[in-house]
Amino acid sequence: YLEGMFPELSPHAERTERSNTEELADFCLPPDYQDQPANNDGLAVPDGAQENVYQYASNVAGQYGHSRIHDIGTGSGSKLVEIFGSWSDTIGTDVPEKLARLRIRYPDHQWDHYTRVIDCDLLLCVDVIEHLDNPRELTQHIREGRWKHAVISTPARDLVPGNPPNGPPKNKRHCREWTADEFAAFLREEFPGYCCDVRVLGQYNTVATLKRI
């Protein structure tokens, strides 16, 4: 699903030299938390998933007059097109194997292979970070980008029905999951000098809004 999204970084170099406990502490997770390799083969995200996060991001864009939108890990592209496509300049990026389908389905919109954060008003990263072996690949890219606001979401581990409290995630697509408080702590460590508002939307979506101070 997301393998190869960050080609210029070396995601496994640090991991091999550090204990799992040290790494989990770095991600602001409990020391007894169990993560897992993500299994994304043949699993698709339904088009309606995370719609409330995109609606929330649309409200942020409207409030601040943002028109240039970059969606990292856009997936099917449907929510970006349906919620932002009629009134803003959008670009959705993802792994190369998804681009042909996106360009056929939505030929009037911009799609590209993700290599970096594209200059934009509003950066979206909706339920991507929990799929990554090393989420710092993503946060580094976001820090290096030029944007005015960023909306980053992930499932709230403690609110997902039937989810083990200390992992591994019930959803085998996910390497790890955070509670809302853990995710807030992780992002505030990763983005010093930013305003970071974290809230829970719907049943179990943790949504963080970042803005440079």
Side-chain angles (χ1 to χ4, degrees):
Y1 175 61
L2 297 170
E3 185 177 357
M5 183 171 271
F6 306 99
E8 67 273 29
L9 299 178
S10 301
H12 302 290
E14 185 180 9
R15 185 183 183 111
T16 58
E17 298 172 2
R18 307 179 64 187
S19 73
N20 189 56
T21 299
E22 290 175 322
E23 190 167 83
L24 291 172
D26 281 352
F27 298 153
C28 296
L29 290 163
D32 59 345
Y33 183 78
Q34 300 178 58
D35 58 6
Q36 64 187 2
N39 176 12
N40 297 303
D41 294 340
L43 297 171
V45 177
D47 276 356
Q50 303 100 27
E51 184 173 348
N52 61 339
V53 179
Y54 280 84
Q55 291 287 0
Y56 168 79
S58 175
N59 293 339
V60 173
Q63 179 179 352
Y64 292 97
H66 295 335
S67 60
R68 176 68 169 164
I69 316 297
H70 177 197
D71 187 20
I72 298 176
T74 195
S76 71
S78 62
K79 297 175 286 292
L80 181 66
V81 170
E82 291 165 8
I83 295 174
F84 287 94
S86 62
W87 57 270
S88 60
D89 177 16
T90 64
I91 181 165
T93 56
D94 214 305
V95 292
E97 54 266 29
K98 293 197 172 185
L99 298 181
R101 184 181 300 175
L102 287 164
R103 288 166 177 160
I104 291 170
R105 188 175 183 184
Y106 302 110
D108 296 328
H109 295 269
Q110 299 180 74
W111 311 106
D112 205 351
H113 174 209
Y114 179 83
T115 57
R116 62 180 178 85
V117 173
I118 296 168
D119 292 356
C120 60
D121 297 322
L122 178 62
L123 176 67
L124 306 181
C125 188
V126 179
D127 289 16
V128 170
I129 197 166
E130 66 273 8
H131 293 268
L132 302 177
D133 178 65
N134 184 353
R136 283 204 167 84
E137 300 173 9
L138 176 61
T139 56
Q140 178 181 334
H141 274 219
I142 293 174
R143 282 196 308 271
E144 293 171 350
R146 297 175 62 184
W147 42 268
K148 297 174 182 176
H149 286 86
V151 172
I152 306 172
S153 72
T154 193
R157 178 180 81 245
D158 52 328
L159 301 180
V160 176
N163 221 15
N166 291 318
K170 181 176 69 171
N171 188 334
K172 301 306 180 187
R173 296 168 54 88
H174 298 171
C175 290
R176 66 187 59 80
E177 295 171 349
W178 292 261
T179 67
D181 287 344
E182 291 164 356
F183 195 56
F186 174 64
L187 290 183
R188 286 167 182 152
E189 283 189 359
E190 292 295 296
F191 294 94
Y194 291 71
C195 176
C196 181
D197 173 83
V198 178
R199 62 187 67 191
V200 175
L201 289 183
Q203 291 183 309
Y204 50 79
N205 292 114
T206 301
V207 181
T209 307
L210 297 171
K211 179 184 178 182
R212 287 182 173 90
I213 298 175

